[in-house]
Amino acid sequence: AANGHQVRVWSRQGSQTLQTVLEDAQIILSAISMIGVRDVASQIQSFSLSPETIFVTATKGLDPQTTCTPSQIWQTVFANHAVVVLSGPNLSKEIQLELPAATVVASNIPTAAEVVQLVFSSHRFRVYTNPDPLGVELGGTLKNVIAIAAGVCDGLHLGTNAKAALVTRGLTEMVRIGNDWGAKTETFYGLSGLGDLLATCNSPLSRNYQVGYQLAGGKTLKETLANLQGTAEGVNTCQVLMQRAKQQNIPVPITEQVYRLLQGEVTPRQALDELMLRDIKPEYNY
Ligand SMILES: NC(=O)C1=CN([C@@H]2O[C@H](COP(=O)(O)OP(=O)(O)OC[C@H]3O[C@@H](n4cnc5c(N)ncnc54)[C@H](OP(=O)(O)O)[C@@H]3O)[C@@H](O)[C@H]2O)C=CC1
Ligand SMILES: O=C(CO)COP(=O)(O)O
């Protein structure tokens, strides 16, 4: 809107129908939480859209049934449309305050990513393009699980060394999973990977971080989620990730401990001990 574009917003709480809001839209940006993506995509499927309409997805989650990413869902439903992933260290409360931020837009159709870059770039929002949509999307999604662990780390007052170790090894885990999925390693070292990891692992504005922090303070998951403003996608992502890591035989020790903590199988302290007492090994298997 700040760039002079006409912007219409839809939510199921609003009075306008989805079809009215999307009429003649050149770009459709979805920031629906993961749980609603498939439903909303299939509603839109029955509307007549221009073949030029570009879909942009900002959702950071994984489909529990299929393990698909949100952009894979949009692309399956709208096979002939360009789909662009928008992801980065973009805590919405800060963006609302017009604090400076950067993000990444990625698509298999580079010209579509460039259109979206132009439309969303402003003096307060710096938008980079990237040719690896899967890596960009997985960066934003996988970091949510590590952000839960970072919240636990801070909630237990484990110190700066512990946090640095956790985030760094968390990134290694994200790269491992991402590579197996087909994403590029370097994408995870960019804004949508390391960038978003740093933002969410260090900010109480992150709902995923809040989940970990409150669990460390002795709250149950149920209590934590009941008090949370908005969605903590990492809770569901963690389950999907564990499933996939087991299937593919990928070692994900931090994700595994977050999973066990969310299931109530371990306390935060037990999860910490499990991580610290693992077999010693080289940092990388070159
Ligand atoms: N908040 C942030 O800083 C950022 C969030 N994201 C990602 O964006 C997504 C949304 O986050 P956020 O806005 O914070 O989450 P919220 O929980 O605040 O909002 C989620 C939105 O999704 C809507 N929704 C959920 N299910 C459905 C459905 N079946 N049909 C229609 N609408 C539905 C909700 O509608 P209703 O209000 O009617 O329930 C609500 O408007 C998440 O994947 C998140 O990871 C990405 C970057 C930054
Ligand atoms: O992804 C985010 C910022 O980039 C928002 O993080 P949370 O979903 O944990 O609040």
Side-chain angles (χ1 to χ4, degrees), residues 10 12-13 31-36 39-40 58-60 90-92 207 230-231 233:
W10 175 83
R12 59 185 170 180
Q13 315 281 353
I32 291 163
S33 46
M34 189 67 232
I35 196 167
D39 174 35
V40 173
T59 304
K60 296 173 177 176
N90 297 155
L91 292 158
S92 60
R207 285 80 45 92
T231 314
E233 297 277 20

Side-chain angles (χ1 to χ4, degrees), residues 1 7 29 31 34 40 49 65 90 104 113 117 120-121 129-130 141 147 156 172 182 212-214 216 238 242 263 284:
V7 180
L29 169 75
M34 189 67 232
V40 173
L49 298 173
Q65 269 86 49
N90 297 155
V104 181
Q117 178 184 42
F120 284 88
S121 290
T129 54
N130 182 300
T141 295
L156 292 178
T172 304
Y213 195 88
Q214 293 187 35
C238 189
M242 270 318 294
Q263 296 293 315
Y284 289 109

Side-chain angles (χ1 to χ4, degrees), residues 150-160 162 213 216-217 269:
V152 173
C153 185
D154 284 358
L156 292 178
H157 306 289
L158 301 181
T160 311
Y213 195 88
R269 286 265 165 211

Side-chain angles (χ1 to χ4, degrees), residues 151 209-220 223-225 227-228:
Y209 174 95
Q210 279 297 340
V211 167
Y213 195 88
Q214 293 187 35
L215 289 175
K219 290 225 170 74
T220 64
E223 288 166 340
T224 303
L225 295 181
N227 293 325
L228 204 67

Side-chain angles (χ1 to χ4, degrees), residues 238 255-267 274:
C238 189
T255 303
E256 191 176 341
Q257 290 309 320
V258 172
Y259 175 80
R260 296 186 67 207
L261 179 65
L262 295 174
Q263 296 293 315
E265 290 173 10
V266 287
T267 64
E274 295 264 352

Side-chain angles (χ1 to χ4, degrees), residues 77-260:
V77 179
F78 297 97
N80 298 322
H81 286 258
V83 175
V84 177
V85 173
L86 186 152
S87 195
N90 297 155
L91 292 158
S92 60
K93 291 256 170 10
E94 293 189 0
I95 290 173
Q96 222 172 342
L97 293 170
E98 296 189 27
L99 295 171
T103 204
V104 181
V105 289
S107 177
N108 292 322
I109 303 175
T111 49
E114 281 160 19
V115 169
V116 175
Q117 178 184 42
L118 205 62
V119 167
F120 284 88
S121 290
S122 77
H123 75 299
R124 281 286 170 265
F125 199 61
R126 188 165 169 77
V127 185
Y128 291 85
T129 54
N130 182 300
D132 179 19
L134 180 64
V136 167
E137 199 168 31
L138 286 177
T141 295
L142 304 182
K143 61 84 194 171
N144 283 334
V145 177
I146 309 302
I148 296 176
V152 173
C153 185
D154 284 358
L156 292 178
H157 306 289
L158 301 181
T160 311
N161 294 334
K163 181 82 163 288
L166 176 72
V167 172
T168 308
R169 294 309 296 171
L171 182 59
T172 304
E173 219 164 285
M174 287 165 58
V175 171
R176 230 181 257 151
I177 299 163
N179 283 167
D180 177 75
W181 221 300
K184 294 193 179 88
T185 301
E186 59 267 35
T187 309
F188 291 93
Y189 297 129
L191 285 167
S192 60
L194 177 62
D196 207 359
L197 192 60
L198 292 175
T200 42
C201 289
N202 290 306
S203 175
L205 289 175
S206 156
R207 285 80 45 92
N208 289 289
Y209 174 95
Q210 279 297 340
V211 167
Y213 195 88
Q214 293 187 35
L215 289 175
K219 290 225 170 74
T220 64
L221 181 61
K222 203 171 164 199
E223 288 166 340
T224 303
L225 295 181
N227 293 325
L228 204 67
Q229 270 198 350
T231 314
E233 297 277 20
V235 175
N236 286 324
T237 298
C238 189
Q239 299 225 12
V240 183
L241 219 53
M242 270 318 294
Q243 214 179 303
R244 198 178 160 102
K246 270 191 196 146
Q247 265 167 16
Q248 303 289 106
N249 209 14
I250 310 168
V252 287
I254 299 171
T255 303
E256 191 176 341
Q257 290 309 320
V258 172
Y259 175 80
R260 296 186 67 207

Side-chain angles (χ1 to χ4, degrees), residues 10 18 36 38-47 77-78:
W10 175 83
L18 182 55
R38 199 172 278 282
D39 174 35
V40 173
S42 58
Q43 285 182 56
I44 299 175
Q45 199 176 18
S46 63
F47 308 159
V77 179
F78 297 97

